[in-house]
Amino acid sequence: MFFYDDFIKKIEKTKVQYKPLKKYTLEGKKMIVWLGTGVPLILIGALQGYIGYTKNYSIPYIGIAALLLFLGFKHLKNLFKYKIILDCENKRILGQGLNLSFDEIDTCTMKEGVVGKGNRLQVIIRIVTIDKREIIIPLIMGNKIDFICTLKDELKGKFSIIKG
């Protein structure tokens, strides 16, 4: 794929500046998509709740309102909660339910793959730990190149790039 080959070339050219703590949040496109779905769901849910309230507490309207509000707030929570931290001083990857030491990593590979039930190819990091646990991190954060280059510098021989 053309995009992936260019991405690899950018990684090879990039030099990383050392910082003891690097934080990576969601990329701009994903933020817009999650905001663009979360906020309308909340507004529609509020409208449904108001209609249910004015129609003498109509159960179907209030049920739909509760569902839409739940989904809208879940989108916003995911938007603001997403964060991956590379702690280069303590040699750890933190965030998204992950607290992994660099010493526990057996291999780390960057490749193109499909995550979950989706059918879209995207760049992912596949980490295999010493105890044979597999962790897949999709690169949906901003500043992907800095993230990859920092991991590459910290993991040295354990990091590899699979060219597709």
Side-chain angles (χ1 to χ4, degrees):
M1 181 176 229
F2 185 68
F3 163 75
Y4 186 65
D5 294 335
D6 285 344
F7 188 69
I8 292 172
K9 288 176 186 173
K10 286 181 185 177
I11 290 170
E12 291 170 353
K13 292 178 185 176
T14 305
K15 299 289 183 205
V16 185
Q17 294 180 359
Y18 178 79
K19 288 183 185 174
L21 197 65
K22 293 187 177 190
K23 296 179 184 179
Y24 302 93
T25 57
L26 208 56
E27 71 180 331
K29 282 193 288 187
K30 294 284 184 187
M31 282 181 142
I32 291 170
V33 167
W34 286 2
L35 271 175
T37 55
V39 171
L41 283 173
I42 290 171
L43 293 174
I44 293 169
L47 177 65
Q48 288 292 319
Y50 176 73
I51 291 171
Y53 173 74
T54 58
K55 289 195 173 193
N56 205 13
Y57 296 103
S58 175
I59 298 299
Y61 282 107
I62 292 176
I64 291 172
L67 177 66
L68 290 173
L69 287 170
F70 171 75
L71 292 174
F73 283 120
K74 186 175 179 184
H75 272 244
L76 292 182
K77 182 187 115 194
N78 288 340
L79 169 72
F80 294 115
K81 190 178 175 187
Y82 184 87
K83 186 185 302 181
I84 293 181
I85 300 170
L86 286 179
D87 187 358
C88 297
E89 220 170 71
N90 297 324
K91 307 270 188 213
R92 299 191 83 66
I93 301 174
L94 307 166
Q96 297 304 105
L98 185 64
N99 186 357
L100 185 65
S101 172
F102 291 163
D103 297 333
E104 297 174 19
I105 296 174
D106 186 31
T107 61
C108 180
T109 55
M110 182 186 86
K111 64 179 185 174
E112 275 188 313
V114 177
V115 177
K117 297 177 183 175
N119 57 1
R120 223 180 89 218
L121 275 178
Q122 61 183 349
V123 181
I124 61 173
I125 296 289
R126 181 178 172 265
I127 297 173
V128 177
T129 61
I130 292 174
D131 58 346
K132 302 301 178 202
R133 207 169 33 127
E134 182 181 43
I135 300 164
I136 295 183
I137 301 173
L139 294 181
I140 58 173
M141 77 271 301
N143 210 353
K144 301 172 193 170
I145 293 175
D146 185 59
F147 178 77
I148 296 293
C149 290
T150 304
L151 264 181
K152 186 178 177 182
D153 286 350
E154 291 293 326
L155 295 176
K156 294 180 183 27
K158 297 178 184 179
F159 188 86
S160 63
I161 296 175
I162 298 175
K163 296 180 180 177

